[in-house]
Every structure is written in structure tokens, then in C-alpha cells.
Amino acid sequence: MSIDETPVLDNHLHLDPDNHRGIDAVRDFAHLGGTHLLVVNKPSWHLGVEVETGDDFRYGFDRTVEIVSEASSELEGRAWPVLGVHPGLISRLVDDRGFSPDEARDLMRAGIDVAAEYVESGDALALKSGRPHYEVDEDVWDASNAVMRRAFERADDLECAVQLHAEASEDMTEVTDWAADAGLPAHRVVKHYASGRLEGPIPSVMSEKDRLETAAERGAPFLMETDYIDDPDRPGAVLGPKTVPRRVAWLLENGHEDAVRIAHVETPKRVYGIETEETLERA
């Protein structure tokens, strides 16, 4: 199998609609064989919005939906938006803006509720939530977990997935137990920026060779991502938009055809209900 014979999905990246590469990054991805994207809204404050109400999140959500529509026109497959609230917002609210943890929790849950409206209308595919990946006070941690649990509740209502930004771990079964308490099955919970081994959520594996090799050898469901941030102030941060196609080609060259099918056909269908082969328009 060659890369021209398979869908190629980057499960988590960001596109800046105004200030950096935007659609040029999508063209780079497509040029090397990339076909499908899940585009996650950038944190609200990165777009110059200091949120006060749930409705204040709409600007970032709307701009993401717009650039995803543009991105789809550049792909042989298509792109989908993933919308939600970056868990790092709680530190910005509490540490920089004087919110109490409970006030921050309520505002962030309101943002999740607004993102859920976009999923319900068909304008977004999934929700994003999580908790800080760095040390925080216990009350901030508890508030963050409450936001994440709200995302699970809304995802259950909508029968959609939740992408999580959270601490590095190889066992997050407690989190998928919380999701199950809300009615959301574990395969609808995705750990963004994952290693190749994870218990609980579906790992969205950062596309570094060692992590991918571990995931491929396990044979369990996984996805691939770059977490490309499209930030002009951090041009070398995380991985570039060409990385997933290059790593798919590398996996195929090394005999991991089954892993490629798992990551780019079977797992996207199981997690999100999307058909990457049926949405692929190749001659």
C-alpha cells in the first residue's frame, strides 16, 4: 500500500484564521497526501477575546467553522471543527483576572454549552475539554474536573466525542469512568497529545516515530495528530502540518499497513462516526 491508497487524518491541529499560515498550512498537508483534518478552535485569548459570558466564545467558534469550510475546499477528503474550552483558561481567569475557581468553572461550563449548540446544529463534529496538564491548587483542579464532566454530559446528550487536553498519563481509566457515569462510552473520549500506550480513552498519538511505533505494535485503536498551533510567535512549536502524511508514509514503508487503517479509517469511524474512505474524492 502507498499513501495514495489511504485516507490520512490529522486528528488535532489548530489554524489561525487571521494572523499566521492558515490555509497555507492546509495546502502543505494536502500536498504530501493529507486528506482529512479535525481542526480545534484556538484558545479564546489567543484570538484577542477575554471571555465574560458563554456567548463570548462564539467568535472563536465561528472563525473556526469558517476556516474549516475553507480547508475542506483544499482537501481530497474534508475537515471538521472540534469546539470547546481550553482547560488552561481557568488559570488565566483565576490567576490573571481575579475570578474565583467556582466563577471560572461556571463560565467555562457555559462555553461548553455553547460549543454543544454547534455540534447539535451539525456545524461541529465533537467537543473539546480537559484539565490543566500542570500543577494547580486543589480547588482549581476540582473546578476543572467539573468542567470536563459537563463536557461528558453534553457529549452523551449529543452522541458525540470529547477530545481532552490533560496531563501526560498512560492510565486515565478514572476519567473514562466519569464519562461512563454520564452515559458516554470510553471510545468517545479521546486523549489529545497522547503517547503510544494509554488505558481508558482513545489515544490521539503525537506523530513522533517512537510513539507511533508503540501504538502500531499494540494493535489497539488510536489516532494520529500534530497539535500544530499555527502561531507566528512560536513557529517551531509542536509538529508541523506535513508531519502526519510523512509519518503515514513511514509506517507503510515499515509494514504497518494495519496500523494505518486503524488510525485513519477504523478509529475515526468508531470515535466520531465519520467515513474517511467514503469522503475521499480520489480518482
Side-chain angles (χ1 to χ4, degrees):
M1 179 188 292
S2 72
I3 194 170
D4 293 332
E5 299 174 89
T6 180
V8 175
L9 168 72
D10 188 333
N11 180 67
H12 185 111
L13 86 166
H14 307 275
L15 297 173
D16 194 308
D18 302 308
N19 298 313
H20 200 37
R21 301 199 63 230
I23 295 302
D24 286 340
V26 177
R27 293 179 181 130
D28 283 350
F29 172 76
H31 181 69
L32 289 188
T35 61
H36 295 78
L37 294 171
L38 266 61
V39 181
V40 182
N41 61 281
K42 297 193 79 168
S44 51
W45 64 97
H46 285 194
L47 298 176
V49 178
E50 297 293 354
V51 293
E52 300 281 353
T53 70
D55 281 338
D56 291 340
F57 289 94
R58 293 186 189 276
Y59 175 77
F61 295 165
D62 288 341
R63 295 296 286 124
T64 303
V65 170
E66 290 166 6
I67 199 166
V68 165
S69 178
E70 294 180 51
S72 286
S73 68
E74 300 289 338
L75 298 171
E76 292 182 344
R78 61 163 294 182
W80 293 270
V82 175
L83 303 180
V85 180
H86 192 288
L89 177 61
I90 197 164
S91 296
R92 189 170 183 88
L93 294 173
V94 172
D95 296 342
D96 299 342
R97 297 180 56 196
F99 281 63
S100 72
D102 287 352
E103 290 169 338
R105 175 201 64 203
D106 291 347
L107 176 55
M108 293 170 70
R109 288 199 295 200
I112 294 292
D113 290 343
V114 172
E117 294 177 20
Y118 288 73
V119 176
E120 186 172 24
S121 68
D123 290 325
L125 179 67
L127 297 175
K128 173 192 175 178
S129 187
R131 61 192 184 191
H133 64 275
Y134 47 87
E135 188 173 347
V136 294
D137 292 342
E138 184 176 356
D139 51 358
V140 171
W141 184 253
D142 291 343
S144 299
N145 282 326
V147 175
M148 182 167 59
R149 294 180 83 146
R150 171 64 66 88
F152 294 154
E153 293 167 2
R154 299 313 312 271
D156 173 56
D157 295 339
L158 298 162
E159 297 184 345
C160 75
V162 179
Q163 286 197 17
L164 296 182
H165 177 115
E167 72 279 5
S169 176
E170 292 189 352
D171 188 344
M172 297 188 72
T173 50
E174 178 186 49
V175 170
T176 48
D177 287 346
W178 293 347
D181 290 344
L184 188 70
H187 71 266
R188 295 274 190 180
V189 182
V190 177
K191 169 65 170 70
H192 141 67
Y193 212 112
S195 67
R197 183 180 291 104
L198 179 64
E199 299 300 325
I202 299 289
S204 183
V205 179
M206 280 295 289
S207 294
E208 298 162 345
K209 290 182 179 180
D210 57 342
R211 297 189 190 212
L212 292 174
E213 197 162 41
T214 298
E217 289 173 353
R218 287 184 74 212
F222 76 103
L223 297 153
M224 291 173 60
E225 68 165 78
T226 57
D227 192 26
Y228 175 65
I229 62 173
D230 202 13
D231 186 338
D233 295 326
R234 301 171 64 200
V238 204
L239 299 176
K242 299 178 182 179
T243 307
V244 166
R246 285 174 170 162
R247 294 294 184 262
V248 168
W250 174 79
L251 286 167
L252 293 172
E253 289 166 5
N254 285 275
H256 292 301
E257 291 187 5
D258 289 347
V260 169
R261 182 165 185 84
I262 287 170
H264 299 277
V265 178
E266 295 174 4
T267 306
K269 182 176 181 178
R270 177 166 172 75
V271 173
Y272 303 110
I274 57 178
E275 299 277 0
T276 55
E277 289 181 317
E278 292 182 8
T279 53
L280 188 60
E281 298 178 0
R282 281 179 166 166

